[in-house]
Amino acid sequence: MLTVFQQYINGRFDNGSETFDSVNPATGTPWATMPAATEHDVERAVQAAHAALSDPLWAKLTATQRGKLLIRLGDLLASNAQRLALIETTDTGKIIRETSAQIAYIAEYFRYFGGAADKLEGAVLPIDKPDMEVTTRREPIGVVAAIVPWNSQLFLAAVKLGPALAAGCTVVLKASEEAPAPLLEFAKLIHEAGFPAGVVNVLTGFGEPCGRALTSHPLVSRIAFTGGPETARHIVRNSAANLAATTLELGGKSPVVVFDDADIGGTVNAVVAGIFGASGQSCVAGSRLIVHAKIRDAFLDALVVKALQIRIGTPDNPATEMGPLATSRQLEKIEQVVAASRAAGGVVLTGGQRPASMQAGNYYEPTIIDCPSPDVPSVQTELFGPVLSVLVFETEEQAVRLANSTEYGLASGVFTRDLSRAHRMMKAIRAGVVWVNTYRAISPTAPFGGYGESGYGREGGIESMLEYTRTKTVWIRTSDEPIADPFVMR
Ligand code: NAD
Protein backbone atom coordinates (compact mmCIF):
# COMPACT_ATOMS: atom_id res chain seq x y z
CA MET A 1 0.00 0.00 0.00
CA LEU A 2 1.40 3.37 -1.01
CA THR A 3 1.11 6.27 1.45
CA VAL A 4 -1.21 8.98 0.12
CA PHE A 5 -0.19 12.64 0.41
CA GLN A 6 -2.62 15.49 -0.27
CA GLN A 7 -2.44 19.03 -1.59
CA TYR A 8 -3.63 21.99 0.50
CA ILE A 9 -5.80 24.64 -1.16
CA ASN A 10 -7.89 27.31 0.58
CA GLY A 11 -7.62 25.63 3.97
CA ARG A 12 -8.68 22.16 2.73
CA PHE A 13 -6.80 19.00 1.84
CA ASP A 14 -7.60 16.91 -1.28
CA ASN A 15 -6.04 14.10 -3.32
CA GLY A 16 -6.05 16.02 -6.61
CA SER A 17 -7.61 14.81 -9.84
CA GLU A 18 -4.25 13.58 -11.17
CA THR A 19 -1.52 11.78 -9.21
CA PHE A 20 1.97 10.37 -9.55
CA ASP A 21 4.08 7.99 -7.47
CA SER A 22 7.23 8.99 -5.58
CA VAL A 23 10.16 6.56 -5.48
CA ASN A 24 12.23 5.78 -2.38
CA PRO A 25 15.81 6.37 -3.66
CA ALA A 26 17.27 3.87 -1.19
CA THR A 27 15.25 1.00 -2.63
CA GLY A 28 14.30 2.25 -6.10
CA THR A 29 10.63 1.38 -5.46
CA PRO A 30 7.53 3.64 -5.24
CA TRP A 31 6.41 4.32 -1.68
CA ALA A 32 3.87 7.16 -1.90
CA THR A 33 1.26 8.79 -4.14
CA MET A 34 1.17 12.54 -4.66
CA PRO A 35 -1.28 14.89 -6.38
CA ALA A 36 0.02 16.33 -9.69
CA ALA A 37 -1.50 19.80 -9.62
CA THR A 38 -3.39 20.75 -12.79
CA GLU A 39 -3.98 24.25 -14.19
CA HIS A 40 -7.35 24.13 -12.44
CA ASP A 41 -5.67 23.41 -9.07
CA VAL A 42 -3.25 26.31 -9.63
CA GLU A 43 -6.18 28.57 -10.47
CA ARG A 44 -8.00 27.58 -7.26
CA ALA A 45 -4.87 28.09 -5.15
CA VAL A 46 -4.01 31.52 -6.61
CA GLN A 47 -7.62 32.71 -6.34
CA ALA A 48 -7.68 31.57 -2.69
CA ALA A 49 -4.39 33.36 -1.95
CA HIS A 50 -5.66 36.50 -3.67
CA ALA A 51 -8.95 36.47 -1.74
CA ALA A 52 -7.06 35.90 1.55
CA LEU A 53 -5.02 39.07 0.98
CA SER A 54 -8.07 41.21 1.66
CA ASP A 55 -9.88 38.79 4.00
CA PRO A 56 -10.13 40.61 7.37
CA LEU A 57 -9.10 37.36 9.09
CA TRP A 58 -5.62 37.98 7.60
CA ALA A 59 -5.57 41.59 6.43
CA LYS A 60 -6.68 42.96 9.80
CA LEU A 61 -4.14 41.02 11.84
CA THR A 62 -1.45 43.25 13.31
CA ALA A 63 2.13 42.48 12.36
CA THR A 64 2.61 41.20 15.92
CA GLN A 65 -0.29 38.76 15.50
CA ARG A 66 1.15 37.51 12.19
CA GLY A 67 4.46 37.05 13.98
CA LYS A 68 2.81 34.95 16.69
CA LEU A 69 1.35 32.61 14.05
CA LEU A 70 4.82 32.15 12.58
CA ILE A 71 6.33 31.44 15.97
CA ARG A 72 3.58 28.88 16.63
CA LEU A 73 4.42 27.26 13.28
CA GLY A 74 8.10 27.13 14.29
CA ASP A 75 7.16 25.45 17.58
CA LEU A 76 4.97 22.90 15.79
CA LEU A 77 7.79 22.15 13.37
CA ALA A 78 10.23 21.63 16.23
CA SER A 79 7.90 19.20 18.00
CA ASN A 80 7.24 17.27 14.75
CA ALA A 81 10.87 17.36 13.54
CA GLN A 82 11.58 13.63 13.98
CA ARG A 83 8.40 12.56 12.17
CA LEU A 84 9.01 14.95 9.25
CA ALA A 85 12.68 13.97 9.10
CA LEU A 86 11.73 10.34 8.58
CA ILE A 87 9.38 11.33 5.75
CA GLU A 88 12.07 13.48 4.12
CA THR A 89 14.62 10.68 4.47
CA THR A 90 12.27 8.17 2.87
CA ASP A 91 11.39 10.49 -0.02
CA THR A 92 14.80 12.03 -0.78
CA GLY A 93 17.31 9.45 0.50
CA LYS A 94 18.94 12.13 2.67
CA ILE A 95 20.37 10.50 5.78
CA ILE A 96 18.30 10.67 8.95
CA ARG A 97 20.98 12.38 11.03
CA GLU A 98 21.02 15.29 8.52
CA THR A 99 17.25 15.62 8.06
CA SER A 100 16.52 15.55 11.79
CA ALA A 101 19.18 18.16 12.62
CA GLN A 102 18.17 20.36 9.69
CA ILE A 103 14.43 20.31 10.39
CA ALA A 104 14.94 21.13 14.07
CA TYR A 105 16.97 24.16 12.97
CA ILE A 106 14.41 25.24 10.34
CA ALA A 107 12.03 25.97 13.23
CA GLU A 108 14.42 28.83 14.11
CA TYR A 109 13.73 30.44 10.74
CA PHE A 110 10.01 30.69 11.51
CA ARG A 111 10.77 32.02 14.99
CA TYR A 112 13.19 34.58 13.58
CA PHE A 113 10.74 35.89 10.96
CA GLY A 114 7.94 35.72 13.53
CA GLY A 115 9.98 38.05 15.74
CA ALA A 116 10.86 40.27 12.78
CA ALA A 117 7.25 40.73 11.62
CA ASP A 118 6.63 43.86 13.73
CA LYS A 119 10.12 45.32 13.29
CA LEU A 120 9.65 46.63 9.75
CA GLU A 121 9.20 50.37 9.94
CA GLY A 122 8.29 53.14 7.53
CA ALA A 123 9.99 56.54 7.53
CA VAL A 124 9.18 60.24 7.96
CA LEU A 125 11.05 62.03 5.19
CA PRO A 126 12.84 65.37 5.73
CA ILE A 127 11.14 66.72 2.62
CA ASP A 128 12.37 69.91 0.86
CA LYS A 129 8.92 71.57 0.79
CA PRO A 130 7.16 73.57 3.51
CA ASP A 131 3.92 72.37 5.13
CA MET A 132 4.24 68.82 3.94
CA GLU A 133 4.33 65.63 5.98
CA VAL A 134 5.76 62.85 3.83
CA THR A 135 5.95 59.30 5.07
CA THR A 136 6.66 55.87 3.62
CA ARG A 137 4.86 52.65 4.49
CA ARG A 138 5.94 49.10 3.74
CA GLU A 139 2.99 47.14 2.33
CA PRO A 140 2.79 43.42 1.50
CA ILE A 141 3.59 42.93 -2.18
CA GLY A 142 0.67 40.51 -2.75
CA VAL A 143 0.37 36.86 -3.79
CA VAL A 144 3.72 35.04 -3.74
CA ALA A 145 4.51 32.01 -5.89
CA ALA A 146 7.21 30.10 -4.00
CA ILE A 147 8.86 27.30 -5.98
CA VAL A 148 11.40 24.91 -4.51
CA PRO A 149 13.55 22.01 -5.77
CA TRP A 150 13.67 18.56 -4.18
CA ASN A 151 16.71 18.96 -1.98
CA SER A 152 16.08 20.65 1.40
CA GLN A 153 12.47 21.46 0.48
CA LEU A 154 11.46 22.43 4.00
CA PHE A 155 14.45 24.68 4.45
CA LEU A 156 14.00 26.36 1.07
CA ALA A 157 10.28 26.79 1.76
CA ALA A 158 11.01 28.32 5.20
CA VAL A 159 13.27 31.05 3.77
CA LYS A 160 10.40 32.07 1.48
CA LEU A 161 7.35 31.53 3.70
CA GLY A 162 8.91 33.19 6.76
CA PRO A 163 9.57 36.65 5.27
CA ALA A 164 6.51 36.53 2.97
CA LEU A 165 4.04 35.83 5.81
CA ALA A 166 5.81 38.19 8.21
CA ALA A 167 5.34 40.94 5.61
CA GLY A 168 1.61 40.11 5.28
CA CYS A 169 1.68 38.39 1.86
CA THR A 170 -0.19 35.22 0.96
CA VAL A 171 1.56 32.27 -0.67
CA VAL A 172 1.13 29.44 -3.15
CA LEU A 173 3.99 27.09 -2.42
CA LYS A 174 4.91 24.58 -5.12
CA ALA A 175 6.90 21.55 -3.98
CA SER A 176 9.07 19.75 -6.51
CA GLU A 177 7.75 16.75 -8.39
CA GLU A 178 10.75 14.88 -6.95
CA ALA A 179 10.32 14.02 -3.27
CA PRO A 180 7.49 16.44 -2.34
CA ALA A 181 6.28 14.45 0.69
CA PRO A 182 7.89 16.57 3.47
CA LEU A 183 6.23 19.78 2.23
CA LEU A 184 2.82 18.20 1.80
CA GLU A 185 3.09 16.83 5.34
CA PHE A 186 4.25 20.25 6.57
CA ALA A 187 1.01 21.74 5.17
CA LYS A 188 -0.80 19.99 8.05
CA LEU A 189 1.26 22.02 10.54
CA ILE A 190 0.44 25.25 8.68
CA HIS A 191 -3.22 24.35 9.07
CA GLU A 192 -2.78 23.46 12.74
CA ALA A 193 -0.91 26.73 13.45
CA GLY A 194 -4.11 28.58 12.57
CA PHE A 195 -3.30 30.56 9.42
CA PRO A 196 -6.63 31.60 7.85
CA ALA A 197 -7.80 29.65 4.77
CA GLY A 198 -6.00 30.65 1.58
CA VAL A 199 -3.06 32.40 3.28
CA VAL A 200 -0.79 29.44 2.48
CA ASN A 201 -1.58 26.88 -0.22
CA VAL A 202 0.70 23.92 -0.91
CA LEU A 203 0.77 22.14 -4.27
CA THR A 204 3.04 19.71 -5.97
CA GLY A 205 3.31 19.01 -9.65
CA PHE A 206 5.43 19.25 -12.74
CA GLY A 207 6.97 22.29 -14.39
CA GLU A 208 4.33 21.87 -17.08
CA PRO A 209 1.50 22.62 -16.38
CA CYS A 210 1.79 23.48 -12.65
CA GLY A 211 4.96 25.63 -12.55
CA ARG A 212 4.17 27.44 -15.77
CA ALA A 213 0.55 28.22 -14.80
CA LEU A 214 1.65 29.48 -11.39
CA THR A 215 4.52 31.73 -12.49
CA SER A 216 2.56 33.31 -15.34
CA HIS A 217 -0.66 33.83 -13.36
CA PRO A 218 -1.85 37.47 -13.56
CA LEU A 219 -2.68 37.59 -9.82
CA VAL A 220 0.87 36.62 -8.76
CA SER A 221 2.97 39.65 -7.74
CA ARG A 222 6.13 37.98 -6.51
CA ILE A 223 8.04 34.84 -7.50
CA ALA A 224 10.58 33.27 -5.17
CA PHE A 225 12.36 30.48 -7.01
CA THR A 226 15.06 27.99 -6.06
CA GLY A 227 16.24 25.53 -8.67
CA GLY A 228 18.38 25.24 -11.76
CA PRO A 229 19.39 28.04 -14.19
CA GLU A 230 17.45 26.60 -17.15
CA THR A 231 14.20 26.52 -15.19
CA ALA A 232 14.95 30.04 -13.96
CA ARG A 233 15.04 31.26 -17.57
CA HIS A 234 11.60 29.69 -18.21
CA ILE A 235 10.28 31.41 -15.10
CA VAL A 236 11.62 34.82 -16.03
CA ARG A 237 9.98 34.41 -19.46
CA ASN A 238 6.71 33.30 -17.80
CA SER A 239 6.80 36.35 -15.56
CA ALA A 240 6.59 38.61 -18.61
CA ALA A 241 2.86 37.84 -18.31
CA ASN A 242 2.46 39.27 -14.78
CA LEU A 243 5.63 41.37 -14.33
CA ALA A 244 6.09 39.72 -10.94
CA ALA A 245 9.17 40.75 -8.97
CA THR A 246 11.46 37.72 -8.83
CA THR A 247 14.30 36.28 -6.79
CA LEU A 248 16.32 33.42 -8.21
CA GLU A 249 18.40 31.12 -6.01
CA LEU A 250 20.17 28.90 -8.50
CA GLY A 251 23.01 26.44 -8.61
CA GLY A 252 26.69 26.70 -7.83
CA LYS A 253 30.15 25.30 -8.45
CA SER A 254 31.65 26.67 -5.30
CA PRO A 255 35.43 26.93 -4.80
CA VAL A 256 37.25 26.06 -1.59
CA VAL A 257 40.69 27.70 -1.62
CA VAL A 258 43.25 26.17 0.73
CA PHE A 259 46.49 28.09 1.34
CA ASP A 260 49.71 26.46 2.51
CA ASP A 261 49.36 27.90 6.04
CA ALA A 262 45.96 26.26 6.65
CA ASP A 263 45.53 23.67 9.37
CA ILE A 264 45.41 20.48 7.31
CA GLY A 265 43.37 18.23 9.63
CA GLY A 266 40.61 20.76 10.30
CA THR A 267 40.47 21.91 6.69
CA VAL A 268 40.14 18.33 5.44
CA ASN A 269 37.10 17.95 7.72
CA ALA A 270 35.58 21.15 6.33
CA VAL A 271 36.20 20.10 2.71
CA VAL A 272 34.65 16.67 3.37
CA ALA A 273 31.58 18.26 5.00
CA GLY A 274 31.32 20.73 2.10
CA ILE A 275 31.26 18.13 -0.70
CA PHE A 276 30.17 14.83 0.82
CA GLY A 277 27.55 16.17 3.25
CA ALA A 278 24.06 15.45 1.82
CA SER A 279 25.91 13.29 -0.76
CA GLY A 280 26.94 16.54 -2.45
CA GLN A 281 23.31 17.40 -3.22
CA SER A 282 23.56 20.90 -1.94
CA CYS A 283 23.58 24.16 -3.88
CA VAL A 284 26.55 25.33 -1.79
CA ALA A 285 28.54 22.08 -2.19
CA GLY A 286 32.25 22.99 -2.18
CA SER A 287 32.82 21.02 -5.36
CA ARG A 288 36.08 22.66 -6.52
CA LEU A 289 39.10 22.30 -4.24
CA ILE A 290 41.83 24.81 -5.12
CA VAL A 291 44.87 23.83 -3.09
CA HIS A 292 48.34 25.36 -2.80
CA ALA A 293 51.06 23.36 -4.60
CA LYS A 294 53.23 23.21 -1.46
CA ILE A 295 50.68 21.20 0.54
CA ARG A 296 48.95 19.48 -2.37
CA ASP A 297 50.31 15.96 -1.74
CA ALA A 298 49.87 15.96 2.03
CA PHE A 299 46.42 17.48 1.76
CA LEU A 300 45.14 15.07 -0.90
CA ASP A 301 46.56 12.06 0.96
CA ALA A 302 44.68 13.07 4.11
CA LEU A 303 41.53 13.82 2.10
CA VAL A 304 41.53 10.44 0.35
CA VAL A 305 41.98 8.64 3.68
CA LYS A 306 39.01 10.56 5.12
CA ALA A 307 36.85 9.91 2.02
CA LEU A 308 37.54 6.18 2.25
CA GLN A 309 36.36 6.18 5.88
CA ILE A 310 32.92 7.60 5.06
CA ARG A 311 30.22 5.07 5.97
CA ILE A 312 27.87 4.60 3.00
CA GLY A 313 24.56 3.04 3.94
CA THR A 314 20.81 3.20 3.99
CA PRO A 315 19.57 6.67 4.92
CA ASP A 316 17.37 5.54 7.81
CA ASN A 317 20.36 4.09 9.69
CA PRO A 318 21.64 6.68 12.22
CA ALA A 319 25.20 5.40 11.69
CA THR A 320 25.15 6.19 7.95
CA GLU A 321 27.32 9.14 6.89
CA MET A 322 26.50 9.17 3.17
CA GLY A 323 23.27 7.96 1.57
CA PRO A 324 22.00 7.61 -2.01
CA LEU A 325 21.35 10.31 -4.58
CA ALA A 326 17.73 11.37 -4.87
CA THR A 327 17.20 10.21 -8.47
CA SER A 328 18.66 7.64 -10.86
CA ARG A 329 18.75 10.40 -13.52
CA GLN A 330 21.22 12.33 -11.35
CA LEU A 331 23.36 9.24 -10.82
CA GLU A 332 23.55 8.62 -14.58
CA LYS A 333 24.54 12.24 -15.23
CA ILE A 334 27.37 11.94 -12.69
CA GLU A 335 28.62 8.74 -14.28
CA GLN A 336 28.70 10.40 -17.71
CA VAL A 337 30.57 13.49 -16.48
CA VAL A 338 33.10 11.42 -14.51
CA ALA A 339 33.78 9.33 -17.64
CA ALA A 340 34.21 12.50 -19.73
CA SER A 341 36.53 13.95 -17.07
CA ARG A 342 38.72 10.84 -17.16
CA ALA A 343 38.87 11.14 -20.96
CA ALA A 344 39.94 14.80 -20.57
CA GLY A 345 42.92 13.85 -18.36
CA GLY A 346 41.28 13.87 -14.91
CA VAL A 347 42.73 11.26 -12.54
CA VAL A 348 40.27 9.65 -10.12
CA LEU A 349 42.07 9.49 -6.77
CA THR A 350 39.23 7.65 -5.04
CA GLY A 351 35.65 6.64 -5.87
CA GLY A 352 34.37 7.11 -9.40
CA GLN A 353 31.90 4.23 -9.21
CA ARG A 354 28.83 2.81 -7.48
CA PRO A 355 29.77 1.08 -4.21
CA ALA A 356 29.88 -2.71 -4.48
CA SER A 357 28.32 -2.98 -1.00
CA MET A 358 24.99 -1.40 -2.07
CA GLN A 359 23.06 -3.53 -4.54
CA ALA A 360 19.89 -1.42 -4.97
CA GLY A 361 19.36 2.36 -4.89
CA ASN A 362 21.18 5.38 -6.33
CA TYR A 363 24.47 5.12 -4.44
CA TYR A 364 27.79 6.60 -5.62
CA GLU A 365 31.15 6.55 -3.85
CA PRO A 366 32.76 9.74 -2.51
CA THR A 367 34.86 10.74 -5.50
CA ILE A 368 37.95 12.95 -5.81
CA ILE A 369 39.29 13.85 -9.27
CA ASP A 370 42.70 15.46 -9.74
CA CYS A 371 42.20 17.81 -12.70
CA PRO A 372 45.05 19.07 -14.88
CA SER A 373 43.05 22.15 -15.96
CA PRO A 374 39.79 24.02 -15.28
CA ASP A 375 38.50 22.73 -18.63
CA VAL A 376 37.93 19.20 -17.29
CA PRO A 377 34.12 18.69 -17.42
CA SER A 378 33.77 17.91 -13.69
CA VAL A 379 35.28 21.33 -12.87
CA GLN A 380 32.66 23.26 -14.82
CA THR A 381 29.47 21.18 -14.48
CA GLU A 382 27.26 21.38 -11.40
CA LEU A 383 26.99 17.66 -10.58
CA PHE A 384 24.86 17.81 -7.46
CA GLY A 385 26.63 14.72 -6.18
CA PRO A 386 29.66 13.55 -4.15
CA VAL A 387 32.34 14.53 -6.68
CA LEU A 388 35.22 16.86 -5.79
CA SER A 389 37.44 18.31 -8.53
CA VAL A 390 40.94 19.35 -7.50
CA LEU A 391 43.00 22.18 -9.01
CA VAL A 392 46.42 23.41 -7.85
CA PHE A 393 47.73 26.99 -7.53
CA GLU A 394 51.00 28.69 -6.64
CA THR A 395 50.15 32.40 -6.31
CA GLU A 396 47.25 34.23 -4.70
CA GLU A 397 46.35 35.77 -8.10
CA GLN A 398 46.13 32.29 -9.59
CA ALA A 399 43.90 31.16 -6.73
CA VAL A 400 41.52 34.08 -7.32
CA ARG A 401 41.48 33.46 -11.07
CA LEU A 402 40.65 29.77 -10.57
CA ALA A 403 38.03 30.52 -7.90
CA ASN A 404 36.26 32.94 -10.26
CA SER A 405 36.59 30.77 -13.36
CA THR A 406 33.00 29.49 -13.54
CA GLU A 407 29.82 31.29 -14.52
CA TYR A 408 28.38 30.59 -11.04
CA GLY A 409 28.93 32.65 -7.89
CA LEU A 410 26.97 31.20 -4.97
CA ALA A 411 29.30 30.20 -2.13
CA SER A 412 33.04 29.92 -1.50
CA GLY A 413 35.52 28.97 1.20
CA VAL A 414 38.99 30.31 2.05
CA PHE A 415 41.31 28.55 4.46
CA THR A 416 44.32 30.50 5.73
CA ARG A 417 45.72 31.78 9.02
CA ASP A 418 46.83 35.04 7.37
CA LEU A 419 44.27 37.71 8.25
CA SER A 420 45.33 40.19 5.57
CA ARG A 421 45.14 37.52 2.91
CA ALA A 422 41.71 36.43 4.13
CA HIS A 423 40.51 40.04 3.70
CA ARG A 424 41.95 40.31 0.19
CA MET A 425 40.40 36.99 -0.85
CA MET A 426 37.01 37.86 0.66
CA LYS A 427 36.87 40.96 -1.56
CA ALA A 428 38.25 39.30 -4.71
CA ILE A 429 35.99 36.24 -4.79
CA ARG A 430 32.86 36.72 -6.87
CA ALA A 431 30.25 34.91 -4.75
CA GLY A 432 27.27 35.75 -2.55
CA VAL A 433 28.82 33.99 0.46
CA VAL A 434 32.47 33.73 1.52
CA TRP A 435 33.26 31.44 4.44
CA VAL A 436 36.70 31.96 5.97
CA ASN A 437 38.11 28.99 7.92
CA THR A 438 34.64 27.42 8.00
CA TYR A 439 32.17 26.05 5.45
CA ARG A 440 28.41 25.56 5.05
CA ALA A 441 27.41 27.73 8.04
CA ILE A 442 23.93 29.23 7.73
CA SER A 443 21.60 31.28 9.92
CA PRO A 444 18.17 32.91 9.67
CA THR A 445 19.86 36.24 10.43
CA ALA A 446 22.31 36.06 7.51
CA PRO A 447 21.36 36.93 3.90
CA PHE A 448 22.11 34.27 1.30
CA GLY A 449 22.14 34.39 -2.52
CA GLY A 450 24.27 34.41 -5.62
CA TYR A 451 26.11 36.28 -8.35
CA GLY A 452 25.95 35.53 -12.09
CA GLU A 453 24.37 32.17 -13.02
CA SER A 454 23.70 31.57 -9.32
CA GLY A 455 20.85 34.08 -9.50
CA TYR A 456 19.80 37.29 -7.80
CA GLY A 457 17.97 38.46 -4.70
CA ARG A 458 18.73 37.41 -1.13
CA GLU A 459 17.01 35.04 1.30
CA GLY A 460 17.51 35.25 5.07
CA GLY A 461 17.90 38.28 7.31
CA ILE A 462 15.76 41.41 7.51
CA GLU A 463 16.89 42.28 3.98
CA SER A 464 14.83 39.37 2.65
CA MET A 465 11.63 40.71 4.24
CA LEU A 466 11.93 43.90 2.23
CA GLU A 467 11.70 41.79 -0.93
CA TYR A 468 8.11 40.89 0.03
CA THR A 469 7.02 44.49 0.51
CA ARG A 470 6.62 47.53 -1.64
CA THR A 471 6.92 51.11 -0.53
CA LYS A 472 3.96 53.45 -0.53
CA THR A 473 4.81 57.15 -0.19
CA VAL A 474 2.17 59.34 1.44
CA TRP A 475 2.19 63.16 0.99
CA ILE A 476 0.03 65.17 3.42
CA ARG A 477 -0.27 68.91 3.03
CA THR A 478 -0.51 70.40 6.55
CA SER A 479 -1.20 74.04 5.68
CA ASP A 480 -4.64 75.59 6.40
CA GLU A 481 -4.13 78.06 3.55
CA PRO A 482 -6.31 77.40 0.50
CA ILE A 483 -4.52 75.74 -2.39
CA ALA A 484 -3.41 78.44 -4.79
CA ASP A 485 -4.74 78.73 -8.34
CA PRO A 486 -2.09 76.85 -10.39
CA PHE A 487 -2.43 79.28 -13.33
CA VAL A 488 -1.80 82.46 -11.35
CA MET A 489 1.91 83.09 -11.13
CA ARG A 490 3.11 84.61 -7.82
P1 NAD B 1 14.71 22.38 -11.21
O1 NAD B 1 15.06 23.73 -11.70
O2 NAD B 1 14.60 21.27 -12.18
O3 NAD B 1 13.30 22.41 -10.43
C1 NAD B 1 13.04 23.32 -9.40
C2 NAD B 1 11.55 23.58 -9.31
O4 NAD B 1 11.10 24.27 -10.47
C3 NAD B 1 10.69 22.32 -9.21
O5 NAD B 1 9.66 22.55 -8.27
C4 NAD B 1 10.12 22.19 -10.61
O6 NAD B 1 8.90 21.48 -10.67
C5 NAD B 1 9.93 23.64 -10.98
N1 NAD B 1 9.81 23.90 -12.42
C6 NAD B 1 10.31 23.15 -13.44
N2 NAD B 1 9.99 23.74 -14.63
C7 NAD B 1 9.26 24.84 -14.34
C8 NAD B 1 8.65 25.87 -15.13
N3 NAD B 1 8.72 25.86 -16.46
N4 NAD B 1 8.01 26.87 -14.50
C9 NAD B 1 7.95 26.91 -13.16
N5 NAD B 1 8.49 25.96 -12.36
C10 NAD B 1 9.16 24.94 -12.94
O7 NAD B 1 15.78 22.06 -10.09
P2 NAD B 1 16.08 20.66 -9.38
O8 NAD B 1 16.83 19.81 -10.32
O9 NAD B 1 14.87 20.13 -8.73
O10 NAD B 1 17.06 21.19 -8.21
C11 NAD B 1 18.41 21.30 -8.35
C12 NAD B 1 18.84 22.72 -8.63
O11 NAD B 1 18.45 23.62 -7.58
C13 NAD B 1 20.36 22.81 -8.67
O12 NAD B 1 20.81 23.61 -9.73
C14 NAD B 1 20.70 23.43 -7.32
O13 NAD B 1 21.95 24.03 -7.25
C15 NAD B 1 19.59 24.38 -7.16
N6 NAD B 1 19.49 24.79 -5.75
C16 NAD B 1 19.80 26.08 -5.40
C17 NAD B 1 19.74 26.48 -4.07
C18 NAD B 1 20.05 27.90 -3.66
O14 NAD B 1 19.63 28.30 -2.59
N7 NAD B 1 20.75 28.68 -4.43
C19 NAD B 1 19.36 25.57 -3.10
C20 NAD B 1 19.07 24.27 -3.47
C21 NAD B 1 19.13 23.90 -4.81
Side-chain angles (χ1 to χ4, degrees), residues 147-153 155-156 160 174-178 205-208 210-215 225-232 234-235 238 248-252 281-284 329-330 382 384 408 410 448-450 454 459:
I147 300 182
V148 295
W150 51 268
N151 70 314
S152 308
Q153 301 219 27
F155 170 71
L156 295 168
K160 297 170 178 56
K174 181 194 143 357
S176 171
E177 64 275 33
E178 314 276 5
F206 297 86
E208 180 59 48
C210 175
R212 193 236 332 124
L214 180 56
T215 49
F225 171 72
T226 303
E230 279 321 305
T231 314
H234 279 291
I235 285 176
N238 293 347
L248 303 174
E249 298 284 351
L250 311 179
Q281 303 171 109
S282 159
C283 57
V284 296
R329 191 165 39 92
Q330 197 59 25
E382 186 190 34
F384 230 59
Y408 292 108
L410 190 57
F448 175 86
S454 295
E459 292 187 328

Side-chain angles (χ1 to χ4, degrees), residues 310-460:
I310 293 174
R311 280 196 296 267
I312 302 177
T314 54
D316 56 348
N317 180 349
T320 296
E321 293 171 338
M322 219 180 90
L325 296 159
T327 64
S328 54
R329 191 165 39 92
Q330 197 59 25
L331 177 57
E332 283 153 22
K333 177 181 170 185
I334 290 170
E335 288 181 319
Q336 282 163 13
V337 174
V338 171
S341 302
R342 279 191 163 112
V347 177
V348 174
L349 301 179
T350 184
Q353 58 190 2
R354 302 180 189 212
S357 57
M358 306 303 293
Q359 293 304 313
N362 310 322
Y363 292 88
Y364 198 73
E365 287 184 351
T367 298
I368 302 174
I369 308 180
D370 194 5
C371 299
S373 90
D375 301 330
V376 171
S378 68
V379 182
Q380 295 298 331
T381 319
E382 186 190 34
L383 287 174
F384 230 59
V387 179
L388 178 69
S389 301
V390 182
L391 296 165
V392 176
F393 73 93
E394 284 179 359
T395 66
E396 194 174 309
E397 291 68 32
Q398 259 181 331
V400 170
R401 211 170 32 248
L402 287 172
N404 289 341
S405 68
T406 73
E407 55 207 0
Y408 292 108
L410 190 57
S412 58
V414 176
F415 288 82
T416 178
R417 289 179 173 137
D418 180 335
L419 189 60
S420 312
R421 179 193 279 151
H423 273 271
R424 289 194 299 275
M425 290 298 290
M426 167 270 280
K427 287 184 193 148
I429 289 182
R430 213 179 55 93
V433 180
V434 183
W435 285 301
V436 178
N437 294 330
T438 183
Y439 203 82
R440 242 180 141 200
I442 53 160
S443 162
T445 63
F448 175 86
Y451 285 32
E453 284 285 295
S454 295
Y456 48 76
R458 294 294 177 263
E459 292 187 328

Side-chain angles (χ1 to χ4, degrees), residues 122-144:
V124 180
L125 305 185
I127 206 78
D128 61 343
K129 302 198 171 12
D131 304 321
M132 285 287 183
E133 185 75 17
V134 183
T135 56
T136 57
R137 302 159 47 81
R138 289 263 171 199
E139 296 194 341
I141 198 164
V143 175
V144 175

